[in-house]
Amino acid sequence: MPTLFRKGPYRIFIYASDGNEPMHVHVQREGRIAKFWIRPVWIAQAGGFTLIELRAIMRIIRNEQA
C-alpha cells in the first residue's frame, strides 16, 4: 500500500492490486478508509467518514492533483 502523500490527519494511498478499476485513491484516518475516484474527484466509498469530512478530503485531493 504505497502512500502517495499525507495531509493533516489523512494518509492518501493506493493498492497495487487495484488494476481493474478506474483511477482512484484510498484515504485513511484512525481506522476509517474511504475510496475516491480521481477523474472527476468523487466519493466511491464513504468508509465511515462524515459528509463534512468527505467534502474536505475531496478538496485535498483536487488541490494535490496539480
Side-chain angles (χ1 to χ4, degrees), residues 26-63:
H26 301 270
V27 179
Q28 181 179 26
R29 177 182 181 200
E30 300 170 358
R32 292 175 281 175
I33 299 177
K35 178 173 157 182
F36 292 84
W37 303 124
I38 297 295
R39 291 192 186 359
V41 175
W42 194 248
I43 304 158
Q45 295 174 342
F49 288 95
T50 65
L51 184 56
I52 292 169
E53 202 165 16
L54 290 166
R55 287 180 181 154
I57 295 167
M58 285 178 26
R59 279 192 299 276
I60 290 168
I61 294 169
R62 283 189 194 113
N63 289 339

Side-chain angles (χ1 to χ4, degrees), residues 7-26:
K7 186 77 169 190
Y10 306 109
R11 179 173 79 98
I12 293 76
F13 64 97
I14 59 172
Y15 286 108
S17 62
D18 276 353
N20 294 332
E21 294 186 311
M23 191 182 309
H24 64 278
V25 294
H26 301 270

